[in-house]
Amino acid sequence: MPMPRWWGHVNKRVFNPRAIASGTWPVLTHVGRISGTRYRTPLDAHPVDGGYLFILVYGSRSDWVQNVLAADGARLRVDGREVELAAPRLVGKEEAFQALSAEVPRPPRLLRITEFLRMDLAAG
C-alpha cells in the first residue's frame, strides 16, 4: 500500500527541516525542474559500488526524484562531506538488492517498493 499523498506534505514541512537541522541524515540537494528552486531533502542514502542507491518509499513520481532525473544529477551531503552525483536512473528491486550490502535491511514487502534510484559518483 503506497503512502498517502498527504504524508509527503507532513514530511516536507515537519520532519524534513528537523532531519536537516540534526545533521544526522544524508541530505540531497537538487534543483526544482519547474521552479529552479534549490531544495534539500533528507534521505536514506546507501553506498553502492561507484555511487549511491536510494529506496523510493514514495515511488518514482516524487518531486525530488523527478527533479534529480530532469537535472541529471544532484549533490549529497553524507558523513560530513559533499559528493556530486550524476547519471541518475531508476532500477528494479533485483538490481538494487544485488548492489546493496547484506547489512542494509530490505524494505518490508507490505510497502510494495519496486523502484529505486541509483546515481554514480561524478568524475572529477
Side-chain angles (χ1 to χ4, degrees):
M1 176 167 63
M3 298 282 186
R5 188 155 178 80
W6 60 265
W7 185 249
H9 297 292
V10 171
N11 262 345
K12 283 181 188 178
R13 288 171 182 68
V14 178
F15 298 114
N16 286 1
R18 289 181 183 169
I20 291 168
S22 77
T24 57
W25 285 89
V27 176
L28 191 74
T29 301
H30 52 97
V31 177
R33 64 196 178 283
I34 297 166
S35 67
T37 302
R38 192 173 73 117
Y39 294 101
R40 295 183 322 149
T41 305
L43 297 166
D44 210 2
H46 301 283
V48 295
D49 187 33
Y52 283 86
L53 186 84
F54 302 86
I55 299 171
L56 303 183
V57 176
Y58 299 111
S60 62
R61 298 179 109 178
S62 297
D63 284 333
W64 76 266
V65 176
Q66 293 299 307
N67 290 342
V68 168
L69 291 170
D72 202 30
R75 288 186 69 72
L76 181 68
R77 188 185 78 209
V78 61
D79 298 327
R81 62 190 172 94
E82 295 266 338
V83 294
E84 192 74 33
L85 299 175
R89 61 207 176 272
L90 297 173
V91 298
K93 188 165 37 174
E94 187 174 310
E95 183 179 337
F97 288 178
Q98 285 177 351
L100 287 170
S101 85
E103 292 84 40
V104 175
R106 291 353 186 207
R109 273 199 166 144
L110 75 105
L111 292 179
R112 297 184 184 155
I113 297 171
T114 59
E115 292 179 307
F116 300 77
L117 182 73
R118 186 169 181 167
M119 287 195 273
D120 299 330
L121 294 170

